Amino acid sequence: MLRRSLSRLCAGEEKRVGTRTVLVGHRPVADTEAYVAQKFCDNRIVSSKYTLWNFLPKNLFEQFRRIANFYFLIIFLVQVIVDTPTSPVTSGLPLFFVITVTAIKQGYEDWLRHRADNEVNKSNVFVVENAKQVRKESEKIKVGDIVEVKADETFPCDLIFLASSSTDGTCYVTTASLDGESNFKTHYAVRDTTVLCTDEAIDTLTATIECEQPQPDLYKFVGRIIIYGSNQEPVARSLGPENLLLKGATLKNTKKIYGVAVYTGMETKMALNYQGKSQKRSAVEKSINAFLIVYLCILLGKATVCTTLKYVWQSNPFNDEPWYNEKTKKERDTFKVLRMFTDFLSFMVLFNFIIPVSMYVTVEMQKFLGSFFISWDKEMYDEEIQEGALVNTSDLNEELGQVEYVFTDKTGTLTENSMEFIECCIDGHKYKDCMAEVDGFSQPDGPLKYYGKAEKSREELFLRALCLCHTVQIKEADQVDGLVAHPERKYTYISSSPDEIALVKGAEKYGFTFLGLENNFMKIRNQKNETEMYQLLHVLNFDPVRRRMSVIVRSSTGKLLLFCKGADSSIFPRVQQEEIQQTKVHVDRNAMDGYRTLCVAFKELTEKEYDKIDRQLNEAKMALQDREEKMAKVFDDTEADMHLIGATAVEDRLQEQLAETIEALHAAGMKVWVLTGDKMETAKSTCYACRLFQTSTELLELTARTVGESDRKEDRLHELLLEYHKKLIQDLPKARGGLKRSWTLTQEYGLIIDGSTLSLILNPSQDCGSSNYKSIFLQICLKCTAVLCCRMAPLQKAQIVRMVKNTKGSPITLSIGDGANDVSMILEAHVGIGIKGKEGRQASRNSDYAVPKFKHLRKLLLAHGHLYYVRIAHLVQYFFYKNLCFILPQFLYQFFCGFSQQPLYDAAYLTMYNICFTSLPILAYSLLEQHISIDTLTSDPQLYMKVSDNAMLQWRPFLYWTFLGAFEGLVFFFGVYFLFQNSSLEDNGKVFGNWTFGTIVFTVLVFTVTLKAFLEAAKNVFCICSYADFCFHMAGNNSPDLYQPFPRNSSNSFKKYKREKSSGNEAPSFLRNIHYLHAFSNFQQSQLFLE
C-alpha cells in the first residue's frame, strides 16, 4: 500500500494513478510478503448503452433533456391537470409517437451493440494452465493468465509478448481495427523468455510485471518484468510498446505466440478509446432554435392577446354569464388571477401546435437516410483500395454546403504518400543516376570550392548508413497487404513509414542491399557482393518532437557507430558547423523542387562512451514514471557532436486532379490553408504545383528567415505584421457590397508562416510591448487567398483552426488529413474529413466523413453539400410555414366564439396533422429533391456561393415563409367563413355547424400545404426542362451564339431574336415562333429562380 501511495505522488505529466503488479500465470514468487492482491476487472467488453432494466428510465431521461420534448411534456401535463379545451390525446399522442420512434431506433442500435459484444465475449480462447491448454470464453480471462494465440487470430486482451514460434522472438501483427493501418508491425518478446515456446516451458516461468495503470494512448506503454530463476538473482527487463500486443490486433505470418494478460475488458486500450468525440452542432440547428424562439414568442403573444380580449369581452355581464350558461358557486369563488392564469394556459395548449413537434424526428430521419447517398456514390469509390466514402456522423450533412475555410495536410492528403528515391548528396556532390559502381558518377552541386566526387570511403559510409539506420523488416514475397515485391528478389520490405522503404531501395540502387535482421544482427550486402554483419545494440526511435531517429551498431571489427537521419532542422544543430554549408545548398535546392529531404549523420563511439550511453538508456527504460522524458534526455545527449555525411531527396507525387479540385474550391468561395510539418521550400513548391499559389500571387513571409534569430525578433515580427496589415487592410479599398467572401480585389496575396513564428504570435513573451499580435495576424490571414503554415506541430494545427473558427461571423471550417498528426485539427474543425491513406486510419476513424482521395472533396462539397443544405433548408422552413397555416385559423376562430377556447378542428385532426398528413410528403421531398443536376453543380462551383453563409435560413426567407403561412391561413379561414354566410347549404335545409366549418378549413389546408410541397419540386423540374427546351430550340434555329449556358447571355439571346425578327428572317412556322417565345419565357423564369 505504501508503494502504491508513493507511486501516486510521483505520477508524471500523464497523471497515471500508481502502477499495477501482475503475477505471471498467477504463480507467487518468494518475496510476496509485501505484495497486496489487486482487483482487476474481468475481460467483458461492454459497448452497449442500456440494459433491459435501465432502458426505459435512462432513455426517457435522455429524450426529455431536449427542449422540444420537454416543452410538449409540460403541455401534456397541463392538459391532464387543467380543464383545457383540447384532449390530452392531441398533445400526448404526437409526443408518444416521437418518443417511441426515437426509443425504437436507439434500442435497435443498442441491441446491435449487445450482439456484437456477445460475439466477442463468448469467443473461445486458449489459456495455459498446469502446462496444458484450457479452452475458455474470452470474458473469463483474468489478468495474469498466459494466453496462446494462433495465426490470423485476434488478441482477446492486452498481452505482454513472452514467446513465439519464431526463434528470434518476433511476431507480426496488423492493427487495422485499432488505427486502420494494414501494414505489418513487428513486436518483440522479452529477451529472457523467447526460448519458452511450448506449453510446458512457458508454464515454468516465474515472473512479475510492474506497469502503468490503463491509459488510452495506443502507442505508449511503460513497464518492466522481473524474472525469477531457481538459483539466480532476479533479472529485470524493461517493457515498452514493442512488447505489448493490443486487443483487437491480429497475429500475422507467425504460427503462434504466448502472452500474459495485463489489461482486460474495459481497461484495454481499445476499450478506453471508445469514448465519443465532442458533439458538433450544425448552423441549421442553431437557426432552428432561433426560429423556435420566434414562434414561441408568437405563441405567447397569441395566448396573451386572447386571454386579455376574453376578459374585455366578459366585462359585459351578459357575455360573462349568459342565461344559458350560468357559473357554478365554485367558479364564482375562484380568484380572478388564478382564473386568468388558467385561461392563459388553456390558450397555450390550444395554440401549442404552432411549435412543430415532429420536425426533430423528420430532420433526424432526413439526415440519417440522406447520408446513404454519400456512401452509395460510385464516383467516390476508389478501385485501388476497394473502398468508397464513409459517413461517421450524419448530423453535419448540411454543413458540407456551408464551408468557408479548408485546412489541409500536405503529405498523404495533397500528395500520394508513395515515396520514390530520386537522388542523394554526399559531401556536397550529387548522385542521381543509377551507378554500376558506387563511384561511377557524381557531379558538383552549388557554389563549391572544389569539383569531382566524394571519397570512396565516404560514399560507402553514407550507403551503409541508409542500410542500417531504419526499422525496415524483411518478409518473404507472399500475400503482404499493399506491398509489391521487387521482381528480381524473393522478399519484400515492410515498414510503417514509406520513407524508410524508399531510402533502403535507394541504397540498393547504388549497390548496398539490406538483407534483414536476425538475432539482433543486421546483414547487408555491399557492392562487392560481400555480406557484412552489424550487431544492433540500440534503436533511438523516431518521434515527431525530435524529428530524427538513430541506431547504435557494432561492426564485425568491433567499431562502435551511431547513425542518425532526420529533418535538416534537427540534424544541422547537432553536427560540425563547417560541414553544413555544402550539404545545405543541396537540401534547399531539392526542397524548392518539391522533394522531401532527410540529412544523414554519424558518430564513432568509444567503449567508454558506449558503456555510459548503454547504462543511461537501460536506466531510463526501467523507469516506470516519466520514462518518456528520461529517454528523451538520453537521446538528446547521445545525438550530439555528430558528423554530417550527406542528404537524400525523396519524391512524393501529387494526387490526381489535385490542381483542378483546389481551383474549384477557390471558385466556390472557399479559402484553402495548407498546414504541414514539412520544410517551407518543399511545401511552397507543392503549393505552386497544385495551383494554390499562382504566379501572380504576392507572397508574404513570417518565418525564421524574415523575422531573424536575434534578440529583437519579436520587434521585427511586430514591424512585419504592421507592414503587411497596412498593405492588405489599410491601403486596399473596401469591397463593395460587404460580401463576406470577397477577398482582395486588385492583387492576390498568399501568406507563409512557420511553427516558431506562430508560437511567437500565439504566445508572446510577457515583456513584449505588443499584445495584439494575434488580432493583426488574423486580419492579415483573412485577407489572403491562401495560407501556408509549415513546420507545424499537431497542436499548432488545431490552434490555427480554432483561431479562425472563433473569428467574427463564426465561419464554417473544414479540416482534411490522413495521419494521426491531423486528428487534432480534424476534431477541432466544424467538419472533419479523413483520407483513407497510407499513414493509417486514425484520421478517418476520428473524422465525420472519410473519402479515398482529395479529389472526392469536390463532389462531396459542391454537389452533396449543396443539395443537403437546400433540402434541409426547405424542410425547416416548410415545417414552420405549415404549422402557422394550421394554427392561425384556430386563433382567428376565437374572435367568433367569444374567446371561449373552443377548438376549430376535431381532436383527430389535431393529433394526426403533424404525424402523417403533412410530414411524409416533405420528407420525401427533402430526400430526393435535386433542383440542379449534380454535373452542373460540380462543373460550376460558383453555384456553391448562392447558398453559402446560411443564405436560405436567414431572417429574410424565414419572414417570407412566415408571412406566406399567415396569408394562406387568413385565406383559408375567411374564404370558408364567407362561404358559410348562408349556413343552410343542403337541399333539406340542414344547418352546418362549427365542426363542418373546421373540417372544410382543415381539408383545404392539408390540400394546399401538400400542393405547395409538390409545386416546390415541380418548379425545379420545370426550370430544368425549360432550360433544356430553350437550348434545344436555340440549336434548331442554327444560332450558335444563342446556345450558351445560362444565365450569362440571356439578354444577348433575346436581342438576337429581336434582330432576326426585324430583319425578316423569321422561322417559316408561326407555331415554331410561339414555341420559341414560350421556351424563352420559361428559361427566363428558370433564370430568376436560380439567381
Side-chain angles (χ1 to χ4, degrees):
M1 291 300 290
L2 178 61
R3 182 177 61 182
R4 296 175 63 189
S5 301
L6 290 174
S7 298
R8 292 191 184 96
L9 294 173
C10 298
E13 293 181 4
E14 296 178 8
K15 298 182 181 178
R16 304 188 187 100
V17 182
T19 59
R20 61 170 52 190
T21 302
V22 178
L23 297 178
V24 177
H26 306 287
R27 279 182 291 278
V29 295
D31 54 349
T32 53
E33 292 79 7
Y35 175 73
V36 178
Q38 302 178 31
K39 292 184 178 180
F40 305 112
C41 69
D42 57 26
N43 200 38
R44 283 186 304 155
I45 287 293
V46 182
S47 62
S48 56
K49 198 174 180 179
Y50 307 106
T51 65
L52 186 64
W53 310 109
N54 70 6
F55 172 74
L56 195 60
K58 191 173 181 179
N59 185 265
L60 289 176
F61 172 75
E62 290 178 350
Q63 291 205 58
F64 283 118
R65 285 194 302 177
R66 300 186 72 167
I67 296 176
N69 291 343
F70 184 73
Y71 163 77
F72 277 95
L73 176 65
I74 297 299
I75 292 295
F76 173 71
L77 293 177
V78 168
Q79 286 180 290
V80 171
I81 298 170
V82 180
D83 184 17
T84 56
T86 56
S87 168
V89 176
T90 58
S91 293
L93 189 59
L95 180 62
F96 177 77
F97 172 76
V98 170
I99 296 297
T100 303
V101 169
T102 306
I104 291 174
K105 172 179 172 288
Q106 294 179 350
Y108 174 71
E109 291 175 348
D110 202 62
W111 176 76
L112 294 178
R113 287 191 285 266
H114 270 284
R115 190 174 67 174
D117 290 344
N118 285 331
E119 289 179 1
V120 174
N121 295 332
K122 300 297 181 182
S123 61
N124 291 323
V125 296
F126 291 97
V127 177
V128 178
E129 293 181 356
N130 300 321
K132 295 181 181 179
Q133 291 187 14
V134 178
R135 185 192 298 268
K136 286 186 175 183
E137 292 180 346
S138 177
E139 64 182 0
K140 294 182 180 179
I141 293 177
K142 298 178 181 178
V143 172
D145 284 348
I146 298 176
V147 182
E148 178 184 310
V149 180
K150 296 180 180 178
D152 298 321
E153 291 182 351
T154 301
F155 300 119
C157 57
D158 290 351
L159 304 170
I160 292 298
F161 183 20
L162 297 176
S164 74
S165 56
S166 302
T167 56
D168 59 354
T170 61
C171 72
Y172 299 96
V173 304
T174 58
T175 55
S177 61
L178 296 172
D179 56 15
E181 295 186 18
S182 58
N183 56 317
F184 290 179
K185 293 184 175 67
T186 307
H187 286 258
Y188 302 91
V190 179
R191 186 192 314 170
D192 303 81
T193 62
T194 54
V195 296
L196 307 176
C197 51
T198 63
D199 295 343
E200 295 78 8
I202 200 71
D203 195 55
T204 63
L205 176 64
T206 301
T208 60
I209 294 174
E210 295 180 359
C211 59
E212 62 184 354
Q213 292 289 6
Q215 53 107 347
D217 194 325
L218 297 175
Y219 309 103
K220 286 186 179 180
F221 176 73
V222 175
R224 62 173 171 242
I225 181 170
I226 304 173
I227 302 170
Y228 298 87
S230 55
N231 297 316
Q232 299 175 351
E233 288 292 323
V235 177
R237 301 294 182 198
S238 64
L239 299 174
E242 68 278 4
N243 307 116
L244 184 67
L245 303 173
L246 299 178
K247 177 182 177 64
T250 304
L251 182 65
K252 291 289 185 181
N253 284 16
T254 309
K255 290 183 180 179
K256 67 176 181 179
I257 66 99
Y258 293 100
V260 57
V262 287
Y263 303 131
T264 54
M266 298 309 293
E267 291 183 343
T268 60
K269 289 182 179 289
M270 185 180 75
L272 294 176
N273 278 275
Y274 281 155
Q275 55 188 2
K277 303 184 289 288
S278 60
Q279 187 69 26
K280 296 181 180 180
R281 295 178 59 206
S282 70
V284 170
E285 285 189 46
K286 298 172 185 176
S287 297
I288 291 175
N289 292 338
F291 297 161
L292 278 174
I293 292 174
V294 172
Y295 270 65
L296 185 61
C297 293
I298 294 175
L299 172 62
L300 293 172
K302 286 182 176 181
T304 303
V305 168
C306 288
T307 303
T308 303
L309 293 179
K310 175 178 182 177
Y311 283 90
V312 172
W313 167 266
Q314 291 180 353
S315 60
N316 186 338
F318 177 76
N319 295 333
D320 184 35
E321 194 174 357
W323 60 270
Y324 56 84
N325 190 21
E326 293 184 358
K327 293 181 180 181
T328 62
K329 185 176 185 301
K330 181 180 179 181
E331 290 175 335
R332 291 194 185 99
D333 295 340
T334 304
F335 289 110
K336 189 173 184 179
V337 175
L338 181 60
R339 279 190 289 124
M340 291 180 66
F341 179 69
T342 304
D343 287 331
F344 177 78
L345 291 179
S346 298
F347 281 118
M348 286 281 291
V349 170
L350 189 64
F351 302 141
N352 82 87
F353 292 95
I354 195 174
I355 306 295
V357 62
S358 62
M359 181 176 66
Y360 285 101
V361 172
T362 308
V363 167
E364 282 191 8
M365 292 177 65
Q366 190 268 349
K367 289 183 176 183
F368 174 72
L369 297 176
S371 64
F372 286 102
F373 291 118
I374 295 178
S375 303
W376 293 338
D377 195 328
K378 293 182 179 179
E379 292 184 11
M380 292 200 288
Y381 183 83
D382 187 73
E383 294 291 344
E384 182 182 351
I385 63 173
Q386 298 290 307
E387 291 185 48
L390 176 67
V391 179
N392 292 326
T393 176
S394 60
D395 294 336
L396 303 171
N397 292 343
E398 63 276 7
E399 292 289 82
L400 295 171
Q402 299 295 300
V403 175
E404 294 184 47
Y405 288 88
V406 176
F407 300 93
T408 175
D409 179 41
K410 186 184 78 70
T411 305
T413 305
L414 301 181
T415 61
E416 292 281 0
N417 202 13
S418 177
M419 307 301 177
E420 180 183 355
F421 186 88
I422 299 298
E423 62 182 60
C424 63
C425 162
I426 304 173
D427 287 342
H429 297 273
K430 182 164 68 177
Y431 295 79
K432 188 166 187 178
D433 300 322
C434 184
M435 304 179 187
E437 294 186 2
V438 176
D439 56 348
F441 301 92
S442 71
Q443 63 184 79
D445 184 21
L448 303 178
K449 297 180 180 179
Y450 62 92
Y451 297 88
K453 62 183 180 63
E455 296 178 4
K456 185 176 179 62
S457 61
R458 299 284 290 181
E459 292 174 339
E460 292 181 347
L461 181 65
F462 177 82
L463 295 173
R464 286 190 179 95
L466 294 187
C467 283
L468 296 172
C469 188
H470 56 73
T471 57
V472 174
Q473 297 290 325
I474 294 288
K475 279 304 296 178
E476 297 298 324
D478 52 7
Q479 298 296 324
V480 179
D481 297 344
L483 296 171
V484 180
H486 195 285
E488 298 178 357
R489 58 174 183 251
K490 296 181 180 180
Y491 56 85
T492 188
Y493 295 127
I494 298 173
S495 176
S496 58
S497 170
D499 293 79
E500 291 197 324
I501 295 179
L503 294 178
V504 172
K505 289 182 177 180
E508 187 177 6
K509 283 172 54 179
Y510 294 106
F512 277 72
T513 304
F514 175 62
L515 299 178
L517 175 68
E518 185 176 345
N519 295 326
N520 278 335
F521 280 89
M522 302 180 79
K523 295 191 296 183
I524 63 175
R525 185 172 59 240
N526 61 25
Q527 184 198 6
K528 298 176 183 178
N529 211 25
E530 299 171 345
T531 301
E532 300 178 5
M533 302 284 287
Y534 292 86
Q535 183 183 4
L536 180 61
L537 301 175
H538 288 287
V539 177
L540 282 57
N541 288 315
F542 174 88
D543 66 68
V545 178
R546 288 165 55 239
R547 297 179 63 82
R548 60 187 181 274
M549 69 91 61
S550 302
V551 295
I552 300 176
V553 297
R554 186 192 300 271
S555 69
S556 56
T557 60
K559 185 182 294 186
L560 289 164
L561 296 170
L562 178 142
F563 291 109
C564 180
K565 73 170 187 284
D568 60 318
S569 60
S570 65
I571 296 293
F572 285 167
R574 300 181 169 275
V575 299
Q576 309 302 317
Q577 295 304 302
E578 63 271 10
E579 301 172 345
I580 294 176
Q581 185 56 41
Q582 57 187 9
T583 301
K584 188 175 187 299
V585 174
H586 176 87
V587 171
D588 291 343
R589 183 171 299 177
N590 281 331
M592 292 181 67
D593 292 337
Y595 299 141
R596 291 168 61 88
T597 59
L598 285 176
C599 294
V600 181
F602 90 106
K603 179 169 72 170
E604 189 170 345
L605 302 173
T606 64
E607 286 290 344
K608 184 177 181 181
E609 289 174 334
Y610 171 71
D611 291 341
K612 179 182 178 183
I613 293 171
D614 182 62
R615 185 179 66 257
Q616 291 176 340
L617 283 173
N618 289 331
E619 288 176 357
K621 287 179 181 178
M622 294 302 295
L624 290 183
Q625 305 296 339
D626 302 324
R627 177 184 291 184
E628 291 82 5
E629 292 80 0
K630 294 175 182 177
M631 294 282 286
K633 177 67 168 60
V634 178
F635 289 173
D636 192 62
D637 294 340
T638 303
E639 296 166 328
D641 299 323
M642 297 184 293
H643 296 278
L644 185 63
I645 314 174
T648 61
V650 175
E651 182 182 25
D652 190 4
R653 293 189 298 271
L654 294 180
Q655 289 204 9
E656 57 179 327
Q657 300 181 26
L658 174 64
E660 293 82 354
T661 303
I662 288 182
E663 284 187 334
L665 297 180
H666 269 298
M670 285 175 261
K671 293 185 179 182
V672 181
W673 293 26
V674 177
L675 313 180
T676 179
D678 274 359
K679 281 175 60 68
M680 183 189 76
E681 292 80 6
T682 305
K684 183 177 174 182
S685 176
T686 302
C687 290
Y688 274 113
C690 67
R691 302 177 201 166
L692 183 66
F693 292 156
Q694 304 292 334
T695 54
S696 60
T697 304
E698 182 178 342
L699 297 182
L700 311 176
E701 279 192 30
L702 289 172
T703 61
R705 184 173 63 185
T706 57
V707 174
E709 297 294 339
S710 64
D711 296 336
R712 290 189 64 256
K713 56 184 178 182
E714 290 194 351
D715 296 333
R716 176 60 181 158
L717 174 62
H718 191 206
E719 293 172 4
L720 286 173
L721 287 173
L722 293 179
E723 177 186 339
Y724 295 159
H725 184 271
K726 184 175 184 297
K727 180 182 291 188
L728 269 70
I729 287 89
Q730 298 175 9
D731 293 349
L732 285 177
K734 291 185 178 180
R736 281 181 278 177
L739 293 177
K740 188 175 180 180
R741 298 196 179 192
S742 63
W743 303 331
T744 53
L745 303 179
T746 57
Q747 170 69 49
E748 287 191 355
Y749 288 94
L751 179 68
I752 301 176
I753 185 171
D754 59 14
S756 59
T757 309
L758 182 66
S759 297
L760 288 177
I761 293 174
L762 299 181
N763 307 298
S765 61
Q766 297 296 328
D767 58 348
C768 179
S770 177
S771 60
N772 60 345
Y773 280 176
K774 186 175 178 181
S775 175
I776 299 175
F777 170 69
L778 187 58
Q779 293 179 47
I780 294 171
C781 288
L782 298 183
K783 280 294 182 179
C784 292
T785 55
V787 177
L788 168 61
C789 303
C790 50
R791 297 297 196 194
M792 289 284 119
L795 181 60
Q796 288 180 316
K797 292 183 178 183
Q799 288 176 325
I800 287 283
V801 176
R802 188 184 307 118
M803 181 181 66
V804 175
K805 187 174 73 171
N806 295 333
T807 57
K808 184 179 180 181
S810 301
I812 304 300
T813 58
L814 178 147
S815 292
I816 179 169
D818 72 317
N821 60 332
D822 304 316
V823 170
S824 56
M825 74 172 183
I826 286 174
L827 294 178
E828 185 63 44
H830 292 95
V831 182
I833 309 289
I835 297 287
K836 299 178 178 180
K838 298 179 182 178
E839 291 189 11
R841 297 296 174 86
Q842 298 98 317
S844 60
R845 286 174 62 245
N846 288 278
S847 64
D848 303 305
Y849 304 88
V851 293
K853 301 285 186 183
F854 186 86
K855 66 177 182 179
H856 298 132
L857 191 64
R858 178 174 185 169
K859 187 174 185 182
L860 183 67
L861 299 183
L862 302 187
H864 289 291
H866 183 110
L867 291 175
Y868 281 136
Y869 176 75
V870 170
R871 291 166 180 167
I872 202 167
H874 275 115
L875 171 66
V876 171
Q877 300 282 27
Y878 179 84
F879 254 94
F880 285 107
Y881 149 80
K882 72 182 183 66
N883 277 35
L884 184 58
C885 288
F886 177 58
I887 213 64
L888 185 61
Q890 178 75 76
F891 172 70
L892 296 174
Y893 186 63
Q894 298 307 304
F895 289 86
F896 296 87
C897 67
F899 304 98
S900 61
Q901 302 158 6
Q902 170 66 36
L904 175 62
Y905 308 114
D906 185 77
Y909 299 152
L910 290 170
T911 304
M912 304 304 293
Y913 178 75
N914 276 317
I915 292 179
C916 61
F917 281 137
T918 57
S919 291
L920 296 181
I922 190 60
L923 176 61
Y925 171 86
S926 64
L927 287 173
L928 305 175
E929 167 60 14
Q930 193 177 119
H931 65 294
I932 304 176
S933 69
I934 289 181
D935 291 338
T936 304
L937 288 171
T938 52
S939 60
D940 188 0
Q942 292 187 358
L943 292 172
Y944 189 87
M945 286 195 287
K946 295 185 180 295
V947 298
S948 64
D949 303 329
N950 205 17
M952 299 183 67
L953 287 175
Q954 297 292 341
W955 289 109
R956 184 175 179 179
F958 171 72
L959 292 176
Y960 161 77
W961 282 91
T962 300
F963 283 118
L964 180 65
F967 170 75
E968 293 183 2
L970 289 169
V971 172
F972 298 153
F973 181 83
F974 287 107
V976 178
Y977 173 77
F978 289 119
L979 183 66
F980 269 59
Q981 289 301 305
N982 181 6
S983 59
S984 297
L985 296 183
E986 294 190 6
D987 295 338
N988 57 7
K990 183 178 177 180
V991 177
F992 287 166
N994 64 313
W995 295 121
T996 306
F997 178 82
T999 301
I1000 295 177
V1001 172
F1002 183 80
T1003 303
V1004 175
L1005 165 68
V1006 171
F1007 177 80
T1008 304
V1009 297
T1010 306
L1011 181 64
K1012 175 66 176 174
F1014 171 77
L1015 291 176
E1016 285 293 318
K1019 178 173 67 175
N1020 300 334
V1021 175
F1022 169 76
C1023 294
I1024 295 172
C1025 293
S1026 299
Y1027 175 57
D1029 189 24
F1030 175 70
C1031 294
F1032 172 78
H1033 284 285
M1034 295 302 97
N1037 280 343
N1038 298 318
S1039 303
D1041 59 327
L1042 296 178
Y1043 188 64
Q1044 300 286 345
F1046 68 92
R1048 206 171 282 119
N1049 297 321
S1050 56
S1051 60
N1052 295 334
S1053 303
F1054 193 62
K1055 291 177 182 177
K1056 175 70 175 176
Y1057 165 75
K1058 292 199 295 182
R1059 190 162 60 249
E1060 288 181 350
K1061 185 174 181 180
S1062 62
S1063 63
N1065 296 328
E1066 294 187 60
S1069 170
F1070 174 76
L1071 180 60
R1072 181 171 182 173
N1073 282 333
I1074 295 298
H1075 204 172
Y1076 176 92
L1077 288 172
H1078 174 67
F1080 185 79
S1081 173
N1082 290 346
F1083 167 68
Q1084 292 283 63
Q1085 293 181 29
S1086 67
Q1087 176 185 353
L1088 291 173
F1089 167 73
L1090 288 171
E1091 290 182 342

